């Protein structure tokens, strides 16, 4: 290790309490195709999906998270991907407005839950898929576009939360949501400190790669192989990262940076094109 390798020096990471919303995949299957991962002709095993999802939920409970549940609805097989249900910050829930008609009813279903849980709900005007495309990184919100959430939703997001929104353009259909191509690992970085992020550069346009390099010079650069098992679709409390069990290289990179890792196998949910983070919507009061 050279002296300039400061980013690789293990540091003591601190966890902060997390509250998350999840949806049990009781009705999970793949009956339509809205991303390249989905093959409706191939069989799915709903009970295995539930079993794997329960492992993720227990991992969160063991980490001390407050895990809230929204009731699954028959006929909405993708509702398990709670991250797409909205974006919640400062007690405000910005609802989702889905790109594809198959998922459209999930928007109001999640907004009902937010309402009942006491969040101030902002009914969206623009197409957006919630935390699938919006990730809080310190003070700013990173916002993906290209396949699902519209660029117009970025202005709406900035208005609703009064935060700077940094638009990032996705270019690879396999990484159609921002949370499949980029992970924020420090949910509450020290004021002014650069939050640690990890990403797959080739998932972004040249211009957006430039933005990421400039804003996050110490980011973890993830390999195509680890991204292809949705390794980046992970969830971190600042100390422990819950990550796909097949993303071995990425898990090693995380440990080199001082994070602990817990691996979970969500192979069944991968058939719908989602992983750990997709099943997790963060709730921030
Ligand atoms: N089948 C779902 C879709 O294509 C998967 C959503 C994954 N969620 C996520 N946050 N990336 O919409």
């Amino acid at each position: 290790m050279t002296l300039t390798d400061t980013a690789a020096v293990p540091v003591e990471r601190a966890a902060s309490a997390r509250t998350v919303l999840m949806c049990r995949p009781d009705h999970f299957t793949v009956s339509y195709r809205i991303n390249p991962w989905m093959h409706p002709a191939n069989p799915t095993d709903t009970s295995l999906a539930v079993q794997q999802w329960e492992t993720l939920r227990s991992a969160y409970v063991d980490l001390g998270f407050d895990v809230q549940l929204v009731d699954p609805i028959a006929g909405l097989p993708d509702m398990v991907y709670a991250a797409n249900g909205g974006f919640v910050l400062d007690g405000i829930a910005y609802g989702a407005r889905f790109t594809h008609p198959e998922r459209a009813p999930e928007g109001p279903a999640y907004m009902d839950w937010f309402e009942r849980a006491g969040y101030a709900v902002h009914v969206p005007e623009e197409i957006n898929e919630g935390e699938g495309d919006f990730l809080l990184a310190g003070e700013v919100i990173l916002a993906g576009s290209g396949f699902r959430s519209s660029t117009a939703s970025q202005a709406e997001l900035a208005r609703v939360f009064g935060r700077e929104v940094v638009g990032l353009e996705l270019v690879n259909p396999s990484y159609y949501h921002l949370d499949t191509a980029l992970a924020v690992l420090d949910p509450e970085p020290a004021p002014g400190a650069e939050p640690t992020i990890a990403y797959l550069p080739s998932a972004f346009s040249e211009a957006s790669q430039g933005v990421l390099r400039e804003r996050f010079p110490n980011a973890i650069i993830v390999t195509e192989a680890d991204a292809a098992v949705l390794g980046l679709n992970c969830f971190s409390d600042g100390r422990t990262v819950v990550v796909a069990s097949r993303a071995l290289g990425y898990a090693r990179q995380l440990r080199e940076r001082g994070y602990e890792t817990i691996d979970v196998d969500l192979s069944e949910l991968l058939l719908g094109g989602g992983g750990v983070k997709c099943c997790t919507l963060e709730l921030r009061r």
Side-chain angles (χ1 to χ4, degrees):
M1 191 183 297
T2 67
L3 278 177
T4 51
D5 259 351
T6 46
V9 176
V11 290
E12 198 54 47
R13 302 281 178 184
S16 55
R18 302 284 102 198
T19 301
V20 297
L21 179 61
M22 299 180 75
C23 180
R24 203 166 185 269
D26 289 342
H27 307 291
F28 175 75
T29 188
V30 176
S31 53
Y32 49 80
R33 180 173 163 92
I34 56 171
N35 71 53
W37 302 78
M38 302 174 85
H39 299 283
N42 294 353
T44 50
D45 181 340
T46 304
S47 67
L48 179 59
V50 170
Q51 209 179 302
Q52 293 179 336
W53 177 91
E54 286 291 357
T55 313
L56 177 63
R57 191 175 68 102
S58 319
Y60 288 160
V61 170
D62 292 348
L63 285 168
F65 293 10
D66 175 0
V67 180
Q68 303 280 320
L69 299 175
V70 55
D71 287 335
I73 298 174
L76 297 177
D78 276 341
M79 201 173 165
V80 58
Y81 304 113
N84 301 126
F87 181 79
V88 185
L89 178 61
D90 302 332
I92 304 168
Y94 174 47
R97 193 166 159 198
F98 284 84
T99 314
H100 298 101
E102 293 89 339
R103 296 196 69 184
E106 293 182 47
Y110 275 93
M111 280 189 271
D112 279 353
W113 189 92
F114 298 139
E115 186 90 58
R116 275 184 274 116
Y119 292 90
V121 174
H122 180 96
V123 180
E125 267 159 43
E126 307 297 343
I127 301 283
N128 84 88
E129 299 196 353
E131 220 173 41
D133 276 322
F134 304 144
L135 295 172
L136 182 67
E139 292 300 306
V140 307
I141 302 170
L142 306 180
S145 67
F147 298 99
R148 301 290 181 89
S149 302
S150 63
T151 49
S153 71
Q154 297 172 3
E156 191 174 25
L157 188 67
R159 257 194 332 271
V160 172
F161 294 101
R163 304 254 185 161
E164 182 188 358
V165 173
V166 178
L168 296 170
E169 194 194 349
L170 297 161
V171 295
N172 180 338
S174 292
Y175 304 108
Y176 54 92
H177 276 142
L178 182 63
D179 72 356
T180 63
L182 185 149
V184 177
L185 300 164
D186 302 327
E188 286 171 27
E194 176 193 335
T196 309
I197 69 161
Y199 67 98
L200 175 70
S202 66
F204 296 91
S205 68
E206 285 294 334
S208 295
Q209 289 183 38
V211 170
L212 288 168
R213 273 196 303 271
E214 195 184 310
R215 292 212 175 226
F216 304 98
N218 295 308
I220 299 174
I221 302 300
V222 172
T223 63
E224 302 274 347
D226 286 329
V229 292
L230 289 190
L232 282 163
N233 198 250
C234 60
F235 192 79
S236 172
D237 70 0
R239 180 176 62 203
T240 305
V241 186
V242 183
V243 61
S245 52
R246 286 191 278 164
L248 295 174
Y250 175 46
R252 199 175 323 114
Q253 287 175 298
L254 289 167
R255 289 191 295 271
E256 281 165 9
R257 291 291 193 99
Y259 295 97
E260 293 181 14
T261 58
I262 293 179
D263 50 84
V264 293
D265 179 7
L266 295 184
S267 60
E268 205 54 32
L269 293 163
L270 205 62
L271 301 177
V276 171
K277 177 65 189 72
C278 297
C279 295
T280 314
L281 175 66
E282 182 146 12
L283 300 170
R284 309 173 188 89
R285 286 282 176 190

